[in-house]
Amino acid sequence: MKIRHVRYLWIVLSLMVLFVAVLCTVSRVHYDKFTPASGAMVEEAHYYVLRSASGSDSIYTYIYKGGDTVIAESDNARFISNITRRRSASWVNWLWLPSCFGTLAAKIDSTEERNSSLPMLEVPQARRLLASRCSLIRNKAADMQRQLAEIDYYLRTHKVHDEGFDVVARHRETVLHSIDSLTRMAVSIERIVRSGRLSVTLTDRYAVVMDGVCMEAMKVSSWRDGFAMYRTTNGTTPKHVRPVYLYSDGLLSSLRPTAALRSSSDTIVVRSDVGGGQTDGYLSVNYPDGSYYEGQYSDTLGGIMRHGFGVDFRSDKVRVGRWEYDRYRGEQPLYTAAHIYGIDISRYQHEPSSQTVRRGRRRRKVTYPILWNQLRITSLGSMSKKRVEGNVDYPISFIYIKSTEGKSLTNRYFRADYAAARKHGYRVGAYHFFSTRTTARQQADNFIKNSRYQKGDLPPALDVEPSAAQIAQMGGIRVLLKSVRSWLEDVGHRLGVQPILYVSQSFVNKYLTDDNPDGDYLRKNYQVWIARYGEYKPDVHLAIWQLSPDGRVRGIRGLVDINVFNGFEEAFRDFSSISAHSLPQPSPR
């Protein structure tokens, strides 16, 4: 009986040994091939959390090899995404058994691992880091505020039907969100820096991603050199997983080591709902300098370029319109009766230079009247292409009339035209033609003495059109710009309304720049009435665009300058609302 039991025991043991042998054979032979069912992605993130003594404020930071750092608010998903290393991994059998128990292996490269290791961050170093980054955050918030002002300027001067309006309005919410995030971050950093005790905590995050499912994970000791090992937190393996034998040579050829993290272009990460990407010829991308582009693109040998219609956001301007291989061509307005149109006139609308009659031996110029009750724009001119909806038959909403020139010249028709225009319901403004031969004070006196400005009128305008020779004769561009600024400030304070500046596009490009202090001041503090006879809208802050010198107006003989107000009815009503108390202070004389 005992011998029988021993035989049974030996049979059972033999079967167990055979079973283990079969398992090991299956493990080493059948599961040595890598298949799609064997693969997964391991996400790994390491960063420091800097907290105030109370724990109420916290900031995340990551330090790249070489010293570059990136910081963000706590739980900032974009920050975590930017510093996460994604490793190609394989589900592997646990030891010698063909069973996984939620274990994965990822191939590593020792050099790349060293380059991605976080350096030690001590409390004094962390405090200095935060203090230095706080000023950067404040500057970035200021840049975003300037961009917000540019966006609001665009929205004030455009309507929903304008191409690109929806992109600008949508991006405004992103900018507001970024400003809020930056402001909160700066406040948190200032509290942390002032805190008596600052804690520095190294944090690790691991996750396994497979078939769109994300599972929490942890890192475990490696059982094979050259590989990092991970395990799902609950120790389970998804269905349909095909684990590979850990010591199979198939892992060597199937997996690639993950490269070290490269330094980010953003030293400060803000919360943002806008992600970069490109689909079907449409691109949205955040550039390293903080600008953002959304629109059409072209994939050329030189790389991806803005091409077609798109919107570009920068701290100093919003550019909406056509792009040609990264070069901004401009906005192409669609002209309709909804726009606010106007004209500017002088004595030449009464005395066309080519019209004379002969009386005996003398020639006399013919004087033509303006038929005020018939005024309608019938042509926007022919010097450039224009996108026009329907036929041009537009009402006139405003009229600028030349009043004076230099220190003594006057327009003999000004007072009569001014009175007639107001009587017929037009908003009227007076302009002065600037001379390089006399002082700004003398010219301002001439304009004030011989012009009219009443409540409801358009702001006075200064017409500046000097040639290069005249500028040189005056003493150079800096002398001219100082004199122009002086006239604008003088007239503004004496009339109680801020004047506007009439110049050409080339004048803006050459002189109203950062290279000339007064030019930069004029560009930033005064609205511009610009002469540009092209297809595209001028890329400056506009009050009025003189879009052609060869328009036609029913009721006026000859060619007429056609202008369009940069905005619509509400903005036009407020056009002259800038009063004297809000003007820049006059230049010292």
Side-chain angles (χ1 to χ4, degrees), residues 405-426:
E405 179 176 341
K407 70 175 183 179
S408 58
L409 294 178
T410 61
N411 174 16
R412 73 185 69 173
Y413 301 99
F414 172 78
R415 290 189 176 275
D417 286 346
Y418 175 89
R422 282 183 61 90
K423 179 180 177 181
H424 285 81
Y426 298 106

Side-chain angles (χ1 to χ4, degrees), residues 401-536:
I401 308 171
K402 180 178 179 180
S403 171
T404 53
E405 179 176 341
K407 70 175 183 179
S408 58
L409 294 178
T410 61
N411 174 16
R412 73 185 69 173
Y413 301 99
F414 172 78
R415 290 189 176 275
D417 286 346
Y418 175 89
R422 282 183 61 90
K423 179 180 177 181
H424 285 81
Y426 298 106
R427 290 191 65 182
V428 186
Y431 75 89
H432 173 83
F433 191 90
F434 190 81
S435 171
T436 58
R437 297 182 176 182
T438 55
T439 67
R441 185 54 184 260
Q442 289 174 321
Q443 297 188 64
D445 290 342
N446 184 27
F447 180 78
I448 295 293
K449 177 181 177 181
N450 295 287
S451 303
R452 299 290 302 276
Y453 178 78
Q454 302 181 60
K455 182 178 180 180
D457 282 353
L458 300 176
L462 178 62
D463 184 347
V464 181
E465 304 181 45
S467 65
Q470 289 173 325
I471 294 175
Q473 188 178 24
M474 188 179 187
I477 187 59
R478 295 196 173 221
V479 176
L480 171 66
L481 293 174
K482 182 178 180 180
S483 185
V484 167
R485 176 177 171 178
S486 180
W487 188 98
L488 292 168
E489 291 175 341
D490 191 359
V491 170
H493 281 275
R494 289 163 73 177
L495 291 182
V497 63
Q498 188 177 43
I500 63 175
L501 178 62
Y502 175 97
V503 287
S504 66
Q505 180 73 68
S506 61
F507 190 94
V508 171
N509 297 342
K510 289 182 181 179
Y511 307 129
L512 301 190
T513 64
D514 297 340
D515 297 333
N516 300 304
D518 281 321
D520 182 56
Y521 180 88
L522 293 173
R523 176 171 52 85
K524 292 178 178 178
N525 290 277
Y526 287 90
Q527 297 185 84
V528 174
W529 174 10
I530 199 167
R532 175 171 168 170
Y533 311 136
E535 177 181 2
Y536 298 101

